[in-house]
Amino acid sequence: MAGNYLPAVELTGSGRPVFLPGEIECSLLSSVDLESEENLNFPRFKSGLLILTTHRLLWLPDTAATTTTTTTYAAVAVPLAAIIHIFSPKKSLKSMFATPRVRFQVSVSPDGRVAENLGSGSKSMVITLVMRGKNDCDAFLSKFWEAWRGRAWESQASGSTGGESRDGSTVGGVRTAMMAGVSGILRKEQEMWESTDKSLQEAFQDLNALMSKAKEMVMLAEKMRLKLLSGSNIQTSATNDEEMGSKQEMQDWLLSVGIASPVTKESAGALYHQQLSRQLADFVKIPLERAGGMINLIDIYCLFNRARGTELISPEDLLRACSIWEKFDVPVMLRKFDSGVRVIQNKSHSDEEVFARIKSLVLKPDALRNGISASDAAMILGIAPAMAKEHLLTAESKGMVLH
Amino acid sequence: MRRRPGIGGLQTAAAARDQYRLLGENVAKIRTDLMTEQLATFRSQLEEFARKHKNDIRKNPAFRSQFHEMCAKVGVDPLASNKGFWAELLGIGDFYYELGVQIVDICLATRPHNGGLINLQELCNLLCQRRKSAREAVSEDDCLRAISKLKVLGSGFEVISVGKKKLVRSVPTELNKDHNEILELAQAQGFVTVEEVERRLTWSSGRAIDALETLLKEGLAMIDDGHRDGKRRYWFPCVSSLSSSVGVDSLKI
C-alpha cells in the first residue's frame, strides 16, 4: 500500500493540504506521475497534482480524473529533508522528444519508509517525477533546488522563537522562507552568470580560430606588399603574366582584409577609393562655396557621413579618396598645413590670391597701426576664423606679416 | 642541368620548367587563383563568425575591445575602410564612424567653454546622453578607438594623458611639457595661481606666467580675479567637470 513508503498528507475539508508550521507553497504542477523505476513494489502515483513547498513535495490525486484504476491513492508527501540528491536533467536528443522527468534520490529507513536519513540506515531510492502536463520543467527544477537548499525545515526543528502561529506561519517561518527565497535569487544570478560566461567562452574560441586565419592572410599580404613596392622590376616570364595578380587586384584584396596597402605612383589605389574620390569631388562643391573656398577635412567627414546616413566612410577612406584627386582633373585639392591641419580647397582659391588680399588688408592705415586679428581677416576674406589663422601663419612664415 | 635527348630528356625539361616556376612563386610572385581562393575562404570564415557573434560584438564592450586587440596583434585593421570585409560582415564600421561624427560635434559644441581640450570621461558622458535612444553601450575604449581613427584627418584630434586623467584635444594647439604640468596641477582644484605654479613646480615667475598666458590665449584657461585675496586664479574647464562650472543645460548639443 502507498502508505508504506511515503508519509501521508493531511487534507482539509476542501481537499487542500494542511501545511506544516512555516511551510509555504512554492510551485504547483498538474498531471505529474510519481514513480520509482527501480522499485517494482512502489506504487505508481499517476497524473496527480504536485505541490512543491519549502518543506515537502506533495502529491495529490486528481479528484476530477475518472478513476479507471481500482485504487485511488491518498495524498502523499516526500519530505525534502529525506532528499539526498537531485539529478541534473540529461539533455540529449532523446530527451527532447520524451516527457520531461525530474529524478531525485531519497534516503530510506530500514523498514522501507522514505524518511530523513538520521545516520543509521544507508539505503536509498530514486524517485522520478514524470511531467505530463504543460509545465515548465526547468522553472520547476530551479525552484525545487531552491527549496531543497533552503532547508526551511531545519530552522523550524531547532525551535525558532517566533510569534504565535497563525495558519501555520510563524514570524520565524516567514523569515526562513524569505531567506530561502533570497539565497535562491542569488544562486539564480550566479547560474545566469555562469551560463553567460560559457557562451562568451565559445565566442572567444571562435575569435581565436578566426584570428589564426587572419594571420595567414597577413603573411600572404606581406608578399603582396613587396610586389607592390618593387614596381615592375621583377622579371616576369611570359607564361606567368596572366596568372599573376594585377596590382589593382592586390590593392582590392588588401582592402577587403583590412591591411594597409602602399599607394604606388602608377596605381590609383583600390577601385572603391577611386569611385569615392569622384563622388567626393562632386559633393564638396557646395560646402566649399559656403566656407569661402577652403574647408577642414574633418568637417567634410562629418558632413558627408551625416548626408549618407548608413554605410558610412572611414576617416582613412576619406583621406585616400581625397589623395587620389591629384591624379584626376578635378577642381579641388587636398592640402596640409604645417600645423597638421588638413583642408580641402578650390584649386582656383590659390594662396597667391589670398596673400594679395591679406597684404591689401594689412597695408590699410589703421591696420598698419593696430595690426589685424584672425577674426578681422576672417570677416574680410569671408572664411572661417580658424582658416584665416592658418593663412596668417603661412603668410608669416613667408615673411609677409609678423605677429 | 644537362638536357638529355629523348623522352627522358623531355620529361627532365618539363620537370625543370616546373621547378623554375615554383622557384618563381617563392620570389614574390602572387598567383591570382591563390589570392582569390584564400580570400574566399577567409570571407566565409568571417561570415560564419559574424553569424554567431555579431550580436556579442554589438552588445558586449569587453568582447569588442578584446576583438580589436587581437586584430591589432595579428596586423589587420577592421576599421580601416568601410569597404573591408570586417565592416561589411560584422557591421562595426558604421558604429565607430558615426561615433567619430558625434565626438567631433561634442568637441565643437564644448570648445567655447574649454578651448578644445575635454576630459575623456566627460566626453563619454555627453556621448551617452546624446545616444540615449541607441541600443548599444559605448565604452571609453570605443571612444579612444574612434578618436584614433579621426587623427588622420588632421585638425589635431588626439588623446593626451595628464596625470591620472585622459584629455581629448580637438584643436591643433601644441601642448608642451610645461603646459601639461600645469594641467596636472590644476586637477586638484580645477584652478591654479601663479604663486602655486612657482612654488609647486619650482619655476621662475617668468616661466609660470608665460605658460599660463599661452594657455589663456589658446582658450584653455579662464581668469578669475574676483577673490578677496586679490590673487588671480586660472581655471581649466577641461580638468574640472562640466556640471560644476557651467550649467549643462546651457550647452546645446
Side-chain angles (χ1 to χ4, degrees):
Chain A
M1 287 302 284
N4 287 344
Y5 292 97
L6 297 170
V9 174
E10 207 182 338
L11 295 177
T12 66
S14 46
R16 285 281 297 163
V18 174
F19 288 124
L20 305 170
E23 187 177 13
I24 297 178
E25 183 177 323
C26 299
S27 180
L28 192 143
L29 302 174
S30 58
S31 302
V32 179
D33 295 4
L34 193 85
E35 61 187 40
S36 176
E37 286 157 19
E38 52 193 34
N39 192 337
L40 298 168
N41 289 331
F42 195 89
R44 316 197 77 198
F45 301 91
K46 280 193 153 324
S47 224
L49 206 65
L50 189 79
I51 300 180
L52 170 71
T53 73
T54 48
H55 290 55
R56 302 176 288 175
L57 257 178
L58 308 172
W59 185 92
L60 279 69
D62 189 355
T63 48
T66 52
T67 46
T68 49
T69 53
T70 46
T71 46
T72 50
Y73 296 115
V76 290
V78 176
L80 294 188
I83 297 181
I84 305 171
H85 179 70
I86 303 177
F87 291 100
S88 326
K90 270 188 289 212
K91 289 221 158 92
S92 66
L93 202 62
K94 236 199 297 179
S95 70
M96 268 168 55
F97 301 105
T99 323
R101 284 166 152 78
V102 176
R103 293 163 68 240
F104 53 93
Q105 189 183 25
V106 290
S107 67
V108 179
S109 67
D111 60 345
R113 294 180 65 89
V114 172
E116 193 178 336
N117 188 359
L118 297 166
S120 44
S122 58
K123 277 171 62 183
S124 71
M125 179 164 69
V126 174
I127 297 180
T128 306
L129 300 170
V130 186
M131 330 276 243
R132 296 198 185 279
K134 285 187 170 58
N135 299 308
D136 188 350
C137 195
D138 289 328
F140 168 79
L141 194 61
S142 59
K143 285 197 186 131
F144 191 13
W145 271 97
E146 187 183 317
W148 180 53
R149 283 229 185 98
R151 306 193 81 82
W153 58 91
E154 280 180 355
S155 31
Q156 289 312 114
S158 59
S160 56
T161 52
E164 60 255 349
S165 55
R166 222 174 274 122
D167 295 333
S169 53
T170 60
V171 173
V174 169
R175 212 186 300 132
T176 51
M178 265 171 61
M179 267 166 53
V182 168
S183 65
I185 290 170
L186 287 173
R187 198 177 7 87
K188 224 176 273 182
E189 254 192 47
Q190 184 169 350
E191 279 169 9
M192 212 172 67
W193 233 102
E194 279 165 8
S195 74
T196 319
D197 250 10
K198 277 196 204 93
S199 77
L200 265 185
Q201 267 176 38
E202 197 199 336
F204 276 114
Q205 277 172 7
D206 288 343
L207 184 62
N208 278 326
L210 182 71
M211 286 303 156
S212 31
K213 179 67 188 173
K215 219 178 280 184
E216 279 177 40
M217 305 299 272
V218 171
M219 294 197 289
L220 186 56
E222 258 313 299
K223 292 193 193 153
M224 282 189 204
R225 189 177 292 133
L226 292 173
K227 180 79 190 93
L228 282 170
L229 288 175
S230 67
S232 42
N233 294 341
I234 289 187
Q235 326 252 355
T236 59
S237 65
T239 49
N240 281 348
D241 253 346
E242 309 87 25
E243 292 168 350
M244 291 248 294
S246 71
K247 286 196 178 167
Q248 184 66 78
E249 283 172 278
M250 280 187 232
Q251 298 245 357
D252 293 335
W253 193 100
L254 290 170
L255 186 69
S256 298
V257 179
I259 299 172
S261 81
V263 178
T264 58
K265 280 183 248 115
E266 308 102 63
S267 78
L271 280 168
Y272 172 65
H273 288 138
Q274 291 178 39
Q275 293 305 308
L276 187 61
S277 174
R278 294 182 196 276
Q279 219 184 338
L280 275 167
D282 289 333
F283 177 81
V284 299
K285 280 202 190 101
I286 299 177
L288 259 184
E289 281 282 334
R290 254 191 257 132
M294 190 181 279
I295 188 169
N296 261 328
L297 191 62
I298 204 164
D299 291 337
I300 290 291
Y301 172 77
C302 294
L303 285 170
F304 190 73
N305 271 341
R306 267 196 233 115
R308 260 208 175 187
T310 57
E311 298 208 355
L312 311 179
I313 61 171
S314 77
E316 270 157 73
D317 284 332
L318 179 60
L319 187 61
R320 280 175 192 269
C322 294
S323 310
I324 294 174
W325 281 340
E326 59 187 32
K327 299 194 192 295
F328 302 141
D329 187 23
V330 287
V332 285
M333 57 181 273
L334 184 66
R335 179 202 177 140
K336 185 175 175 182
F337 284 105
D338 288 336
S339 59
V341 173
R342 288 189 197 265
V343 298
I344 294 175
Q345 76 178 61
N346 268 324
K347 272 191 186 150
S348 58
H349 181 96
S350 72
D351 272 354
E352 272 57 46
E353 195 223 321
V354 178
F355 289 152
R357 292 167 79 191
I358 291 179
K359 202 170 180 181
S360 63
L361 241 181
V362 169
L363 289 175
K364 288 218 177 82
D366 28 67
L368 280 172
R369 256 182 286 130
N370 304 323
I372 50 169
S373 70
S375 29
D376 290 338
M379 276 199 313
I380 308 291
L381 295 172
I383 58 179
M387 293 289 92
K389 183 176 170 187
E390 292 295 333
H391 278 302
L392 287 173
L393 284 171
T394 316
E396 182 181 31
S397 71
K398 290 221 156 50
M400 281 180 60
V401 293
L402 273 176
H403 92 273
Chain B
M1 194 170 279
R2 248 177 335 135
R3 296 227 179 161
R4 287 163 57 209
I7 294 184
L10 283 173
Q11 283 175 339
T12 314
R17 238 195 338 271
D18 280 338
Q19 277 197 16
Y20 280 134
R21 182 194 293 175
L22 281 171
L23 192 65
E25 275 176 0
N26 289 340
V27 184
K29 272 193 197 163
I30 315 294
R31 294 167 53 126
T32 314
D33 51 0
L34 177 69
M35 271 168 59
T36 319
E37 185 197 316
Q38 285 288 309
L39 198 67
T41 316
F42 176 65
R43 194 204 157 98
S44 62
Q45 222 174 313
L46 186 55
E47 270 174 348
E48 181 62 20
F49 181 82
R51 187 183 63 80
K52 289 166 81 178
H53 304 295
K54 183 170 175 171
N55 223 30
D56 290 326
I57 292 204
R58 262 184 55 227
K59 302 282 184 187
N60 192 323
F63 184 60
R64 192 158 61 230
S65 166
Q66 183 67 9
F67 165 80
H68 282 296
E69 273 186 41
M70 294 192 73
C71 282
K73 237 185 270 177
V74 163
V76 293
D77 184 359
L79 298 180
S81 171
N82 187 42
K83 192 67 170 60
F85 284 169
W86 306 96
E88 186 192 328
L89 299 171
L90 283 178
I92 54 172
D94 276 8
F95 173 69
Y96 284 98
Y97 307 148
E98 188 181 357
L99 205 62
V101 175
Q102 290 170 333
I103 289 174
V104 172
D105 280 347
I106 291 177
C107 286
L108 214 65
T110 57
R111 192 175 298 170
H113 173 72
N114 57 35
L117 209 60
I118 184 172
N119 193 330
L120 178 66
Q121 212 167 35
E122 189 185 328
L123 177 64
C124 278
N125 289 342
L126 290 170
L127 257 176
C128 288
Q129 271 181 40
R130 187 178 154 146
R131 291 171 60 100
K132 254 189 275 215
S133 56
R135 289 163 292 155
E136 296 119 353
V138 171
S139 66
E140 272 187 17
D141 185 78
D142 290 327
C143 289
L144 289 174
R145 290 187 195 279
I147 294 169
S148 75
K149 286 288 142 196
L150 288 174
K151 236 166 136 166
V152 300
L153 297 176
S155 297
F157 262 88
E158 183 136 52
V159 178
I160 55 179
S161 291
V162 173
K164 284 187 239 95
K165 298 204 183 162
K166 287 204 175 75
L167 303 179
V168 177
R169 193 186 77 187
S170 57
V171 286
T173 309
E174 288 299 328
L175 283 180
N176 62 30
K177 201 159 162 297
D178 278 3
H179 300 143
N180 268 29
E181 285 187 66
I182 290 179
L183 283 173
E184 199 172 335
L185 203 61
Q187 276 179 22
Q189 289 175 284
F191 68 88
V192 296
T193 59
V194 177
E195 228 176 52
E196 198 180 335
V197 172
E198 288 172 19
R199 190 173 27 97
R200 298 277 294 274
L201 302 176
T202 58
W203 287 358
S204 68
S205 63
R207 184 176 174 188
I209 293 177
D210 191 22
L212 285 168
E213 288 297 308
T214 310
L215 289 168
L216 191 66
K217 199 156 53 124
E218 295 295 340
L220 297 171
M222 296 195 291
I223 335 181
D224 175 14
D225 282 331
H227 275 264
R228 251 183 285 129
D229 59 9
K231 295 206 189 109
R232 168 175 282 189
R233 289 167 189 228
Y234 290 81
W235 284 88
F236 292 90
C238 59
V239 294
S240 51
S241 89
L242 192 64
S243 48
S244 65
S245 39
V246 165
V248 187
D249 315 315
S250 67
L251 221 64
K252 297 264 181 282
I253 294 177

